[in-house]
Amino acid sequence: PASGNNPLVRLSSTNNWAGWEVDGNAAYTGVRGEFNVPLLTTGDGAKNVMSIWVGIDGSVGAGANDLIQAGVLGSMVPCNGSATAEDQSSYTGTTFWVCPWTMEIENGVASDGPTPDLTISGGDNVAVVIELDYGVWVIGMSDSTTGQSWEGPLDYHGPGTSAEWIVEDPGDTNVPCGSTDAQNFMGQCPMAAYSPAVTFSNLGIDPDSNDVKTWDDCVLKNGVSIGPSPVTRDAAGNDSFSVAYPGGY
């Protein structure tokens, strides 16, 4: 498990990450976690987005400008990948898209990784495993609700100085909302409201350690603040926490 009896430290608020991370002196060679995919509750016609992911690097030290991550993007407009529109009118009165995705950043330069061949819907439960296997980084993603699974390699060379489980307000604050640039179509769009809370569970890292675990609060583009709950451990030794959007049901 990722937490053990690690000391807990609060990071300064960020403008895009909400969740927990583990920072260590030794290189991490694997991270894993499971999460539920919420329903987006922003009104129809909005261009709001949010993302949920598991990753390595991107936070501290030598890996601050690198990142390997995998998860899902929830969007009020069509996004890339093998996504289908999810009409959740009986819950929220909105239509939104869920796109599985992978990405890497090296030396500050971002590029899309392979697109997981999965169809994921709001309400599904997803598991992500990222591990260094004989010198090659491999990403595995599965949907336990539908029984689908996918695995693919990613050419990544970051140092592995942190591991994360994050709900993100994505986009580039230098790009207008609704840009036709596929990489930055979310731009300055506000984060999409969602419900229920995203719960990360079965958190794990390789090698397992007692490195300091920290949490990130997130101040969104629309001024809303979200942050994670404390990490709890069940009788089986599995760690979990939640990130709720204010006002969710």
Side-chain angles (χ1 to χ4, degrees), residues 1-9 21-22 205 208-213:
S3 66
N5 295 313
N6 298 351
L8 309 181
V9 178
E21 62 184 78
V22 181
I205 52 174
D208 197 4
S209 69
N210 287 321
D211 289 333
V212 173
K213 179 165 10 57

Side-chain angles (χ1 to χ4, degrees), residues 34-41 50 52 123-125 167 191 193-201 226-229 241-249:
E34 302 175 18
F35 57 84
N36 62 295
V37 179
L39 309 180
L40 302 194
T41 58
M50 58 89 69
I52 312 164
D124 287 2
N125 292 301
V167 172
M191 183 174 179
Y194 63 88
S195 194
V198 174
T199 297
F200 289 89
S201 59
I226 63 174
S229 69
F241 70 90
S242 298
V243 181
Y245 193 95
Y249 60 80

Side-chain angles (χ1 to χ4, degrees), residues 83-147:
T84 55
E86 299 300 329
D87 183 2
Q88 304 289 351
S89 57
S90 60
Y91 297 93
T92 66
T94 65
T95 298
F96 64 95
W97 283 258
V98 178
C99 300
W101 57 271
T102 66
M103 190 179 76
E104 66 171 315
I105 301 173
E106 293 202 56
N107 297 318
V109 179
S111 59
D112 291 331
T115 300
D117 186 17
L118 302 172
T119 299
I120 297 174
S121 302
D124 287 2
N125 292 301
V126 174
V128 172
V129 177
I130 302 174
E131 59 185 355
L132 186 61
D133 187 13
Y134 294 99
V136 177
W137 285 96
V138 177
I139 296 175
M141 190 180 299
S142 59
D143 184 327
S144 62
T145 304
T146 63

